Amino acid sequence: MIVMKFGGTSVQDAKAIDRVAQIVQGRLADRPVVVVSAMAKVTDSLLAMGRAAGNGDRKGALKMARALRERHYETAGELLGTALFTEFHGELGTDFEDLDELLRGIGAVGEITPRTYDSVAAFGEMLSSKIVAAAFASRGLPGEHVDSRQCLITDSSYTRAVPQFDETNERLQKRVKPLVEAGKVPVMGGFIGSTRAGVTTTIGRGGSDFSAAIFGAGLDAARIEIWTDVDGMMTTDPRLCPDARRIKVISFDEAAELSYFGAKVLHPATVLPAIQKNIPVYVLNSHNPTCEGTKITAQSPPCTNIFKAIALKKKITLIDVATPRRLLVHGYLKSIFEAFDRHQVAIDVVSTSEVAVSVTAETNEAIPALAADLAKIADVKYEGRKAIVCLVGEKLRDTPGNAAKVFSILKDVKIRMISQGASEINLTFVIEEDDATEVVRRLHQAFFAEVDPEVFA
Ligand code: ADP
Ligand code: ASP
Ligand code: MG
């Protein structure tokens, strides 16, 4: 059994879904379970509708919902042909009626809660998974739609719900495994789940990768394939550096660091379930299916390059917490971190001195209130428009002089924070967002002009 996950661009229109069907057809002997994202940009537009309805713009929200309905009908019509589409039309129609109803309700209340946000966002994956399952069936593939909300059980931290593995695994064994054993291809939406009480949840943006890994681990898959729109994990985001190279093999640890610090190609939590069961993860390109992609595995092979890749995370706020008193007395850091916890602001990078603590977090609307809270115990300054650059490689552990090499290339760049050591495989620093692209390009040129052919393509 294998899990194959297809991201938003891989199911963005009829042509893309047709390609998915062909790729899955080629893997039937491996008994695939298919996980799909919402069609490209659909989650963004659903959230925009929810927001509009919450702000009282009910008409605007319903107009966006109509455009979404048309896009899905058009795709389904193209994939299924008239006769089959007529059969399927009613099923999609019911979902769109439900969405309209929900938006009207939000509009009437004039407020959107995280719980209703999730109910709105979940339509993307609900719809795409139904369309893909129907497209499979119309192409002679034994596709069978499974509502992921009945399998992925989470807590009720809406918009970032935490999977409850025992219950989820039990459900997967009961609902999905028998289908695979009967020769079916289950088709499931990523990203969505539900609480034990049956309330719809989502597990965080980009979370379909994580869903695929959860399903793979719960079903003891032989491998997990993440199909996307690039040839694999690359030495940096190819949108930043068109000459980025494909990484042929990378370790779970390296991949996790890269995705945590901005390599969007993989959701940061994806590798956790895979590590626990030692299931290899592959990143593959649905637009170039014969390419070998990237294999993510427990052990990475020896590599002559110091670094495997450079990740970049923008939209970062730097928060400096300082006090004239001697700070690092017992319990002081605790009180600072507790404030972050109370405001649910996740910390990326930390550095401390005798009188100050600097912390970075993704820029978000909770930061002003957090800063006001921290101001009760210290002087607080915060500044947005920063970026985190992270260089990752297991060789970093035992090669001297790496930091010197990196920063000698960036002599003219203002570095706001530096961190190395926590995981021993990353060198991370914070710069101005405006410098970010240039910095990544320079580093990429310096460290990847020549690459180890065993590890990079
Ligand atoms: P999907 O919709 O398939 O989940 P995403 O858009 O979430 O795809 O992720 C794929 C994108 O990740 C690529 O198009 C690429 O621009 C970006 N990306 C960022 N860093 C990397 C990297 N190191 N290697 C490959 N892709 C990367
Ligand atoms: N559709 C969701 C998102 O856009 C989940 C995913 O694509 O992984 O965040
Ligand atoms: Mg993604």
Side-chain angles (χ1 to χ4, degrees), residues 193-347:
S194 75
T195 64
R196 277 197 190 93
V199 182
T200 298
T201 54
T202 69
I203 58 171
R205 293 305 305 269
S208 293
D209 300 334
F210 189 24
S211 298
I214 295 166
F215 299 160
L219 293 163
D220 294 307
R223 64 176 187 275
I224 297 161
E225 298 182 347
I226 305 291
W227 290 83
T228 182
D229 60 353
V230 283
D231 274 346
M233 290 197 93
M234 317 284 283
T235 48
T236 193
D237 188 339
R239 283 181 220 200
L240 280 181
C241 285
D243 55 349
R245 312 286 287 259
R246 173 167 61 91
I247 306 166
K248 293 201 271 191
V249 202
I250 192 167
S251 69
F252 283 131
D253 291 345
E254 291 168 321
E257 292 285 340
L258 279 173
S259 53
Y260 181 72
F261 285 110
K264 189 189 167 208
V265 62
L266 208 63
H267 183 280
T270 309
V271 295
L272 297 177
I275 289 176
Q276 272 157 10
K277 293 249 173 121
N278 200 13
I279 302 173
V281 177
Y282 291 79
V283 180
L284 298 155
N285 188 352
S286 71
H287 305 272
N288 184 18
T290 53
C291 177
E292 283 167 21
T294 299
K295 180 177 185 184
I296 310 173
T297 177
Q299 216 78 43
S300 74
C303 176
T304 56
N305 291 69
I306 304 165
F307 299 114
K308 288 283 169 54
I310 309 170
L312 171 65
K313 194 167 176 180
K314 290 190 181 174
K315 297 203 180 107
I316 294 296
T317 295
L318 177 62
I319 305 154
D320 289 318
V321 187
T323 165
R325 280 169 285 132
R326 280 194 160 235
L327 262 204
L328 298 180
V329 288
H330 180 73
Y332 188 79
L333 281 177
K334 180 165 176 256
S335 58
I336 293 177
F337 290 142
E338 273 172 357
F340 278 81
D341 197 38
R342 264 197 313 282
H343 291 271
Q344 296 195 348
V345 174
I347 295 171

Side-chain angles (χ1 to χ4, degrees), residues 412-452:
D412 55 338
V413 178
K414 189 170 165 196
I415 313 278
R416 299 295 300 262
M417 263 170 95
I418 300 178
S419 147
Q420 188 195 334
S423 70
E424 295 191 324
I425 62 164
N426 82 55
L427 172 60
T428 303
F429 54 93
V430 178
I431 53 174
E432 299 298 323
E433 198 173 73
D434 289 342
D435 297 335
T437 306
E438 165 67 18
V439 163
V440 171
R441 287 189 181 146
R442 251 197 247 173
L443 291 171
H444 193 267
Q445 173 61 32
F447 289 104
F448 296 101
E450 277 172 43
V451 293
D452 185 337

